Amino acid sequence: MSALDVVVDSAVVAKRNLIKIKRVPDLLVATTLSPIMFVLLFAYVFGGAIDPTGGGAAYREFLIAGIFAQTVVFGAVITGAGLAEDVRKGIIDRFRSLPMAPSAVLTGRTLSDVVNNVLVLIVMSLTGLLVGWRINTSFLEALWGYLLLLIFAYAISWVLAFIGLLVPSPEVVNNASFIVIFPLTFVANTFVPLDTLPGPLRVFAEWNPVSSVTEAARNLFGNPDPDPNAVEPTVWSLAHPELYTLIWAAAVLVVFVPLANMQYRRAASR
Amino acid sequence: MSNAIRATGLVKRYGSVTALDGVDLTVREGSVLGLLGPNGAGKTTVVRILTTLLRPDAGEAEVAGLDVFADPRGVRRRLGLSGQYAAVDEYLTGFENLDMIGRLYHLGRRRARERARELLAQFDLVDAGDRPAKTYSGGMRRRLDLAGALVASPPVLFLDEPTTGLDPRSRTDMWAVIQKLVAGGTTLLLTTQYLEEADVLADDIVVIDHGRVIARGTADQLKAQVGGERLEVTVADAAQLAEVSRLLAPLGVGAPVLDEHRRSMAMPVSGGVELLRGALDRIVDAGVKVDDAGLRRPTLDDVFLTLTGETTEEDVA
């Protein structure tokens, strides 16, 4: 097994998944529709309550990075559901009966889902610009912000890859991940400033990596807290959001890349 | 002639359930083995083990001269698998499906494309080749899936229930395709629950049930195990069945079996056409109106039911 085989095979598998994005644009629409809805609902329903003086403008600026984080984390569900679907249809069996690099199926899958996330982030950024969100920093800082979001999402997609190969159907992936991902992306600084949360919930949110990636993106895009009197967070995770996010991503990858690959070798069509 | 597939003592357990309980089989190079059994007999488990997808708890296996467990990658280069469900990516076109598989066999970009076009032509999919497989009929998907198994022109082919779920027309089409393939010298292991299919396609048949081999041989050998011909008579009025049975019983070598619902009687006999004529004379003279009558050679269905000891409808009635 040469390293070149892994690269070429991964590219072949990634291409297959990208063709699907092209052929089924509804999929992209479906993954962006609900975050767009969230932008509109949060910006115009809650915005006024959270940011009464500014009529919600500052809140909309604050909100978008949180929406980005939530959207790319939900994007990982596509990885899991897609793999579960491939298992069910016998496509994983077919791959496993080929003399290809075994790791290429998952590598190709997770890489193509990065492309999906890039497309989703473009659509969401345009939506953000429409409701008044702006990048107030340099191009490079903004780029690093997007990159951090993608790295974090990439790590999460390996968790979902493992789950997708473990459970009996794509529906289970969807249901199971909603139970986990909704709390994970809501009990965070994604939609509200953290100082509004009660004690234990606040501690969870402060150490929640969704908060750190959101905080990092906000810093790198230059989007301030809607409350002008807000103080900079002192908890380590949010004082060093970029480093904390990268540590999380690395830890998740170290655990879930081998786990998912092990599960791939055991996966059977049902 | 050497064996292209050889398996000895395959055992696979799932918890307390024994899926395979010591299966032995060999397939001569260039021949077709039909692995026959009801749902849950362990057919797919055998295929999954021989195609490197599953490791057994015990046993040895060789495919194309290579040890399946010591050199799975080498074995994968030499086998083609078409699983129980057409493993076709429905968002890709037929061409893209085959091209992808060719790339993953490392045929190279150019050769993969050529091979994809060749196979589309061979499987009568040229017109549909550039349409997403989503638009294909069940028979077309199956053909595309089978084409996928042939991308690397493997010497050994595994087809797991290749015609399950196909309509009768597509099934006979599929049989013709498979027959052409094996005429080219490919060794084939085919699983099926259709006895007719094994009869048409297979040189040798292995019957498994509850993870065990319960019979093996050619179709004719298996049929001989069940015995000779049967006389079957269907009458117009079910009320007359008892009388028919009484009239014909002396001609049989076994007891007649009645099926009220189908208004028919079946009985093992020996004596050929002469006996059939005599039997018809007897019942027609007695004023019975006969809808249908004939001698039937035992089918593999009879073989199977006899071997697995499951009762037939007639026996119940």
Side-chain angles (χ1 to χ4, degrees), chain A residues 1 5 8-9 12 15-16 19-20 23-24 89-91 93-101 267-269, chain B residues 48 52-53 73 76-77 81 86-93 96 100-101 103-106 145 148-149:
Chain A
M1 169 65 37
D5 278 353
V8 173
D9 292 353
V12 173
K15 183 183 157 197
R16 169 220 166 199
I19 290 176
K20 183 171 173 180
R23 295 263 153 80
V24 200
K89 287 194 173 157
I91 289 174
D93 269 2
R94 159 70 30 95
F95 282 143
R96 288 182 58 219
S97 75
L98 299 178
M100 62 187 288
S269 66
Chain B
R48 294 180 60 80
T52 78
L53 298 183
R73 219 166 129 77
R76 282 178 207 138
R77 269 192 214 105
L81 165 67
V88 161
D89 189 321
E90 49 184 21
Y91 299 104
L92 302 194
T93 65
E96 286 164 344
M100 172 182 76
I101 294 170
R103 294 299 307 278
L104 295 174
Y105 268 113
H106 305 130
D145 188 51

Side-chain angles (χ1 to χ4, degrees), chain A residues 28 31 64 84 100 117 183 188 218 252:
Chain A
L28 190 64
T31 41
I64 297 300
M100 62 187 288
N117 268 334
R218 266 181 202 138
V252 166

